[in-house]
Amino acid sequence: MEVNDVQLTGRVSGDPSERELPSGDALVTLRLVVARGGGRPVDTIECACWSASARRAAARFADGDRARVEGSLRRRFFRTPGGPASRYEVEVRRLVRDRR
């Protein structure tokens, strides 16, 4: 069985950023800093909130808040002045405050 479910708990790095795309779609993005544990380095993971509920939830977060993200891993392709590029990000399905 194939599954693409991501669950992350970490700290929001910077305030979430809201923008409207040329297509008219709204998007809120945020970065989540997640420790690997055991004194290892942290990972900074881009998260994209497309649904209205995820965008509303993201708007309530600020730099340094602890959050739990549930979603799916997505690879996004785009063009840059240097040519084609891609990036992995988490497409957020659910975003809640982590109270730990």
Side-chain angles (χ1 to χ4, degrees):
M1 182 165 138
E2 297 176 5
V3 176
N4 183 353
D5 282 329
V6 174
Q7 294 183 6
L8 301 168
T9 302
R11 182 180 47 82
V12 175
S13 176
D15 292 328
S17 172
E18 183 174 0
R19 62 188 169 142
E20 186 173 328
L21 302 176
S23 64
D25 292 333
L27 172 65
V28 176
T29 58
L30 58 91
R31 286 184 310 278
L32 194 67
V33 177
V34 179
R36 292 186 189 185
R40 291 187 164 155
V42 298
D43 292 304
T44 303
I45 301 167
E46 297 289 328
C47 299
C49 302
W50 291 96
S51 71
S53 61
R55 291 192 314 265
R56 281 191 304 271
R60 294 190 294 263
F61 282 84
D63 184 38
D65 288 344
R66 291 197 44 84
R68 189 171 71 241
V69 171
E70 297 173 7
S72 301
L73 188 62
R74 298 282 184 248
R75 187 173 180 193
R76 189 168 52 87
F77 296 90
F78 53 95
R79 295 200 182 278
T80 68
S86 70
R87 174 181 302 170
Y88 280 99
E89 64 189 11
V90 173
E91 186 175 305
V92 177
R93 181 174 49 252
R94 185 167 182 255
L95 175 66
V96 296
R97 196 166 303 277
D98 183 52
R99 305 258 185 228
R100 291 181 221 176

